[in-house]
């Protein structure tokens, strides 16, 4: 039996599953395909990749060999920083499409707001949307000031902003801004790269609800209307991370988790992104 993962309606009515598989650092071909196949078999219907992850080909293979209809799977990919600008983004999109072996992508994102380029990058994403090559427009790692610059030029506002978000980095102001502009928020590193799973409060709540720390955190995201894309290649964890739709956290537990915020990033701050990998 496959699990039913609920979906969220975006600004244009297209729906995105609340939970998808993140595939960053899945560079070993067999491991990557196996993890994605496992996730799809279990009921995942969304995969989050990027040109940077060097596994778009594997994503395409996992999808085409899954036996699941293309239109039932929500595929996200992203234009990398060195490919930004209007024409460059259109070209990068073509490359991603080819590698994925698809004829459209569900959601295409600006990976990081490269200064002096991200507005033009988004204009190209708008064009891809107008040409129906993507179903949803979006950005990633955009602060409020980046979004405001885009709003000034865009005909179609971004429908998704994918940002680092977890109990140690709750991003209240950005989320409120996105909410009031009908931009859905996706949490990357929703588990804080695994670095918050030993937190005492999280462990205590996990005990109270008889779930794992990862499930508690992912449920906390879901109850706040946040889409999340945890990464794992371990079959048991891939299953565990999706089993969050059959229990509830109390408002007290939700508050305790939100109060863990310490504005701590495990990744980079979009305002001073550095290539260090
Ligand atoms: P994550 O929060 O998903 O944590 C992944 C780590 O947690 C891995 O080490 C994994 O082994 C461990 N883990 C996963 N499930 C677990 C479980 N049930 N129990 C114990 N440990 C578990 O962090 P991430 O990989 O950085 O982020 C997830 C996805 O977000 C990425 O794969 C990628 O798709 C996306 N992402 C996007 C950006 C961006 O700039 N847009 C940046 C980073 C990541």
């Amino acid at each position: 039996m496959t699990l039913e993962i609920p979906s969220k309606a975006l600004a244009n009515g297209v729906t995105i599953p609340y939970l998808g598989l993140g595939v960053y650092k899945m560079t070993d071909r067999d491991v990557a395909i196996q993890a994605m196949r496992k996730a799809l078999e279990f009921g995942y219907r969304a995969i989050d990749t990027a040109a940077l992850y060097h596994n778009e080909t594997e994503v395409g293979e996992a999808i085409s060999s899954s036996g699941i209809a293309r239109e039932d799977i929500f595929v996200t990919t992203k234009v990398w920083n060195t490919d930004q600008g209007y024409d460059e983004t259109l070209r990068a999109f073509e490359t991603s499409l080819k590698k994925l072996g698809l004829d459209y992508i569900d959601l295409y994102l600006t990976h990081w707001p490269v200064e002096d380029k991200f507005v033009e990058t988004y204009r190209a994403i708008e064009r891809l949307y107008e040409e129906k090559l993507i179903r949803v427009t979006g950005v990633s790692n955009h602060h409020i000031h980046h979004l405001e610059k885009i709003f000034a030029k865009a005909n179609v506002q971004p429908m998704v902003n994918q940002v680092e978000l977890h109990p140690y980095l709750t991003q209240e102001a950005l989320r409120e801004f996105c909410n009031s502009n009908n931009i859905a928020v996706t949490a990357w590193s929703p588990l804080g790269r695994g670095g918050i799973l030993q937190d005492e409060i999280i462990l205590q709540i996990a005990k109270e609800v008889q779930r794992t720390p990862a499930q508690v955190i992912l449920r906390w995201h879901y109850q706040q209307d946040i889409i999340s894309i945890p990464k794992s290649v371990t079959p048991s964890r891939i299953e565990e991370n999706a089993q969050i739709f059959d229990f509830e956290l109390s408002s007290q537990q939700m508050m305790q988790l939100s109060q863990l915020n310490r504005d701590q990033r495990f990744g980079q701050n979009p305002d001073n992104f550095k290539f260090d990998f």
Side-chain angles (χ1 to χ4, degrees):
M1 211 182 72
T2 51
L3 189 80
E4 274 282 321
I5 294 179
S7 289
K8 176 178 171 59
L10 299 170
N12 65 351
V14 170
T15 58
I16 180 172
Y18 271 104
L19 192 95
L21 184 72
V23 301
Y24 184 33
K25 294 195 173 154
M26 285 192 202
T27 42
D28 181 280
R29 190 189 135 75
D30 293 341
V31 172
I33 293 182
Q34 220 171 22
M36 295 176 214
R37 286 290 301 274
K38 168 71 204 175
L40 292 170
E41 270 163 31
F42 191 63
Y44 284 66
R45 289 294 177 270
I47 298 180
D48 181 85
T49 184
L52 176 78
Y53 304 169
H54 299 295
N55 56 18
E56 290 173 307
T57 307
E58 286 77 3
V59 171
E61 282 179 32
I63 292 172
S64 68
S65 63
S66 70
I68 299 166
R70 162 68 187 101
E71 60 271 23
D72 292 337
I73 302 177
F74 193 100
V75 180
T76 301
T77 191
K78 318 180 188 90
V79 52
W80 184 237
N81 301 357
T82 47
D83 289 327
Q84 289 194 35
Y86 188 80
D87 292 334
E88 295 89 336
T89 298
L90 295 177
R91 277 200 293 273
F93 177 82
E94 275 304 312
T95 305
S96 285
L97 203 59
K98 266 202 200 102
K99 285 191 175 163
L100 285 158
L102 302 176
D103 51 15
Y104 71 91
I105 288 168
D106 295 277
L107 172 60
Y108 197 49
L109 306 175
T110 308
H111 207 143
W112 291 86
V114 174
E115 223 185 322
D116 301 330
K117 290 202 171 162
F118 68 93
V119 174
E120 283 302 290
T121 300
Y122 184 75
R123 275 214 319 120
I125 293 178
E126 265 191 297
R127 170 155 165 203
L128 295 167
Y129 180 68
E130 280 153 15
E131 291 182 355
K132 299 198 180 345
L133 289 165
I134 61 175
R135 296 172 72 221
V136 180
T137 65
V139 294
S140 180
N141 298 306
H142 280 42
H143 283 315
I144 294 173
H145 67 89
H146 297 118
L147 291 168
E148 283 171 337
K149 282 206 179 104
I150 286 180
F151 289 174
K153 288 274 169 75
N155 297 318
V156 181
Q157 285 191 0
M159 301 168 201
V160 173
N161 188 13
Q162 183 185 119
V163 296
E164 180 177 352
L165 176 49
H166 43 70
Y168 284 9
L169 179 70
T170 53
Q171 302 259 31
E172 303 291 343
L174 178 62
R175 275 166 50 207
E176 218 175 284
F177 181 87
C178 287
N179 235 344
S180 55
N181 286 285
N182 211 1
I183 300 173
V185 173
T186 297
W188 64 254
S189 291
L191 303 172
R193 298 219 158 129
I196 60 175
L197 296 170
Q198 293 306 317
D199 181 279
E200 271 182 30
I201 300 285
I202 297 174
L203 287 171
Q204 180 207 312
I205 295 174
K207 214 165 159 193
E208 286 166 16
V209 295
Q210 301 195 352
R211 294 290 173 139
T212 67
Q215 289 173 324
V216 165
I217 298 166
L218 294 169
R219 179 74 201 186
W220 171 83
H221 285 291
Y222 174 60
Q223 282 186 217
Q224 296 177 98
D225 201 31
I226 297 165
I227 299 151
S228 53
I229 45 170
K231 180 238 169 181
S232 179
V233 293
T234 312
S236 60
R237 287 179 173 172
I238 290 173
E239 285 197 17
E240 175 189 329
N241 292 346
Q243 283 166 330
I244 60 160
F245 302 106
D246 57 350
F247 76 104
E248 210 170 323
L249 297 169
S250 68
S251 49
Q252 165 78 10
Q253 289 163 334
M254 289 295 291
M255 200 172 68
Q256 281 179 289
L257 291 163
S258 298
Q259 282 172 348
L260 292 176
N261 181 48
R262 46 182 88 161
D263 294 336
Q264 183 183 337
R265 291 178 189 275
F266 291 91
Q268 299 201 48
N269 186 324
D271 275 337
N272 39 39
F273 183 91
K274 298 207 171 47
F275 282 98
D276 59 354
F277 47 87

